[in-house]
Amino acid sequence: MSVQNASAAIGGASKSQKKSRGALFWKSVRKFPMVYVGGLIVFLLVICAVFAPVLALHNPITQYQNGLHMDGTPVGPSKFFPFGADDVGRDVYSRLIYGSRVSLIVGFVATAISLLIGTTLGLISGYFGGFIDTVIMRITDTILAFPFLLFALALVTILGSSLTNVLIAIGILGWGVMARVVRGQVLSVKEFEYVQAARALGASTPRILFRVILPNILGPIIVLATLAVSQNILVEAGLSFLGVGVQPPTPSWGNMIYAGVQDYQFAPWLMVYPGVALLLAVLGFNLLGDGLRDILDPRNATH
């Protein structure tokens, strides 16, 4: 067989292998219907964030005179305000829609920062071992020793209250678990034959880490990243609720819930609607993460 024919055969086998893996993945998805529920919630959340100017009925920071009664109390759900108005006459529905943008920005961007830091440190720690592993893991232990929300609260207080500082605080404090998981995965695969073969062929260390080892441990990383998004959304809401996160008039589900708590006796919708939105967002990402964990579990691939 010529070199060209051999290359063609290898290429065909590679394509068929990728196709079979894809078919196996979607076959596994059908076994876990919760993935569909979580995926649908996440999809709707993304639609709300991307098309917020289209879906919102009013400007989220505009104060409307007809949003307040004569005594200054907010009006309830109506045709003009489907979810009612807040304590200064702003449309709650429109603020909910725009608040999804803040939640997704924090969820995705902060998770991406943590993913970059944690994956890199985990790869280095697990691959090299020894003194480097000890130093990185002790730093990781220090990060994990502090309650996440309290640590983020302290850091945002120091940096100042803004969306950018919330992203920085959550991102640089949330990599500890990711680093530990990646390190454990690297320790389990770094002695496999394909890694030894890459070393024998003279591949550089970065190539071995990011082109050989990383693609083979993506499953747990994807699952953990999906679950981290929901955690980061909750942390942002907590920081905004405490007054150190996203500041009014920028809509955030956290600061909307805080405003609703102040007026819950005569305007309960101010607290209920953002609370339900936060619940659904966290539930969607958790269901999606749990489903992906089951799908990517090798033990389920054999059934």
Side-chain angles (χ1 to χ4, degrees):
M1 180 183 292
S2 66
V3 175
Q4 292 82 355
N5 292 337
S7 299
I10 293 173
S14 177
K15 290 180 181 179
S16 62
Q17 187 178 21
K18 289 181 180 178
K19 188 178 296 184
S20 63
R21 286 181 179 177
L24 182 61
F25 175 81
W26 289 113
K27 182 179 178 181
S28 300
V29 169
R30 289 193 290 270
K31 296 180 182 178
F32 304 99
M34 284 297 99
V35 175
Y36 291 108
V37 179
L40 178 61
I41 295 174
V42 172
F43 174 75
L44 293 176
L45 183 62
V46 171
I47 292 296
C48 288
V50 173
F51 297 101
V54 177
L55 297 175
L57 299 178
H58 308 289
N59 189 305
I61 62 175
T62 299
Q63 301 177 12
Y64 296 92
Q65 291 184 351
N66 59 344
L68 298 173
H69 294 296
M70 295 297 294
D71 59 358
T73 58
V75 301
S78 62
K79 184 177 180 180
F80 193 77
F81 300 113
F83 289 174
D86 66 6
D87 56 343
V88 293
R90 296 172 299 200
D91 180 31
V92 173
Y93 167 78
S94 300
R95 289 179 64 78
L96 275 179
I97 295 296
Y98 275 90
S100 65
R101 284 186 165 184
V102 172
S103 294
L104 283 187
I105 288 173
V106 172
F108 289 141
V109 176
T111 300
I113 296 172
S114 299
L115 192 65
L116 178 62
I117 299 173
T119 301
T120 303
L121 292 179
L123 285 170
I124 295 172
S125 178
Y127 185 76
F128 289 103
F131 177 75
I132 294 177
D133 180 32
T134 301
V135 171
I136 293 177
M137 285 301 101
R138 295 299 74 79
I139 296 174
T140 304
D141 291 339
T142 303
I143 291 291
L144 295 176
F146 293 91
F148 187 21
L149 180 58
L150 292 180
F151 207 172
L153 175 63
L155 187 55
V156 173
T157 302
I158 295 172
L159 296 176
S161 301
S162 69
L163 178 58
T164 301
N165 291 337
V166 169
L167 290 173
I168 294 173
I170 297 177
I172 66 175
L173 295 177
W175 57 266
V177 174
M178 185 69 68
R180 280 199 169 278
V181 170
V182 172
R183 172 183 177 270
Q185 293 295 315
V186 173
L187 289 175
S188 66
V189 305
K190 70 176 184 178
E191 301 301 331
F192 283 2
E193 289 81 0
Y194 58 84
V195 179
Q196 298 291 346
R199 288 199 196 101
L201 292 172
S204 63
T205 299
R207 182 177 180 83
I208 293 174
L209 290 176
F210 295 101
R211 298 293 297 274
V212 178
I213 294 179
L214 182 59
N216 288 280
I217 61 173
L218 278 180
I221 295 176
I222 293 173
V223 173
L224 193 58
T226 305
L227 296 174
V229 172
S230 65
Q231 174 184 274
N232 292 338
I233 289 175
L234 271 178
V235 172
E236 180 278 320
L239 293 175
S240 297
F241 179 86
L242 294 172
V244 298
V246 178
Q247 299 298 302
T250 303
S252 162
W253 293 341
N255 60 37
M256 290 178 67
I257 293 175
Y258 175 78
V261 169
Q262 312 305 309
D263 304 321
Y264 76 95
Q265 291 182 326
F266 57 86
W269 60 86
L270 297 182
M271 179 177 61
V272 171
Y273 288 122
V276 171
L278 181 61
L279 171 66
L280 289 176
V282 173
L283 177 64
F285 280 104
N286 281 343
L287 289 177
L288 184 60
D290 288 342
L292 290 175
R293 179 193 60 197
D294 294 332
I295 291 170
L296 297 173
D297 190 338
R299 292 171 296 183
N300 293 325
T302 59
H303 294 90

